[in-house]
Amino acid sequence: MHLESNIILEDTIANIYKKITDIHNTSWRSDLKVVKGIDDNNFIEYSKKDYPTFYTVLKNVKNKTYELEFTNNKVEGHILYILKKEDNKTNLSITVDLTLVDAKIKMLAKQKLKKQWSKFVSDLSKN
């Protein structure tokens, strides 16, 4: 499954970059309970229902690009964030490619993932 979002945010690139890369301050994410760092390139996000998703940072170019792989027992995939300045705003391009690990949930998963992704984008847009 391939999802893309391109959003214009009323904030600086530096602030948006810090928000999406700072695993120690995720209070802006309404879908998370906690994030636990493993090392410089690996962390685990726990949903409000304590469901873990494991992340590995593949590329991190300050204020430009943030690229991750993720996996849990239902999905695995890749996320790419690209940040660009547009006037006094930030253009954030987000691309997600994922594969469902559990084929039984395929129909429900697409709908749920789109809803989760929409919530992430909404949370990020709030100041």
Side-chain angles (χ1 to χ4, degrees):
M1 184 182 315
H2 182 81
L3 301 170
E4 289 185 26
S5 290
N6 194 26
I7 55 176
I8 305 296
L9 299 160
E10 301 278 341
D11 206 343
T12 66
I13 286 178
N15 287 343
I16 298 299
Y17 172 83
K18 181 167 176 48
K19 211 179 223 189
I20 63 175
T21 61
D22 185 358
I23 66 168
H24 303 292
N25 182 10
T26 57
S27 59
W28 63 276
R29 297 272 309 268
S30 65
D31 60 330
L32 295 180
K33 183 175 183 178
V34 69
V35 176
K36 293 184 180 178
I38 298 170
D39 57 36
D40 288 345
N41 292 315
N42 296 281
F43 60 94
I44 306 168
E45 287 185 350
Y46 290 89
S47 70
K48 295 277 186 184
K49 295 181 180 179
D50 284 327
Y51 190 79
T53 301
F54 299 85
Y55 289 84
T56 299
V57 177
L58 301 175
K59 186 176 183 181
N60 189 351
V61 179
K62 188 174 183 178
N63 297 331
K64 292 185 182 204
T65 306
Y66 191 51
E67 188 172 4
L68 308 152
E69 283 183 340
F70 63 93
T71 187
N72 59 39
N73 68 348
K74 295 182 182 176
V75 297
E76 57 188 32
H78 181 265
I79 303 173
L80 175 62
Y81 299 92
I82 298 174
L83 300 98
K84 293 181 182 173
K85 185 176 179 180
E86 198 164 295
D87 298 321
N88 292 329
K89 302 172 187 172
T90 299
N91 181 327
L92 178 62
S93 171
I94 308 167
T95 304
V96 180
D97 288 297
L98 56 91
T99 303
L100 297 172
V101 175
D102 184 350
K104 296 175 192 173
I105 64 164
K106 193 169 189 173
M107 289 296 218
L108 296 174
K110 188 172 184 178
Q111 206 171 27
K112 184 174 181 176
L113 290 169
K114 283 185 178 183
K115 184 178 177 183
Q116 287 174 329
W117 192 245
S118 177
K119 184 66 178 155
F120 174 84
V121 170
S122 173
D123 286 349
L124 185 60
S125 299
K126 294 176 186 173
N127 286 332

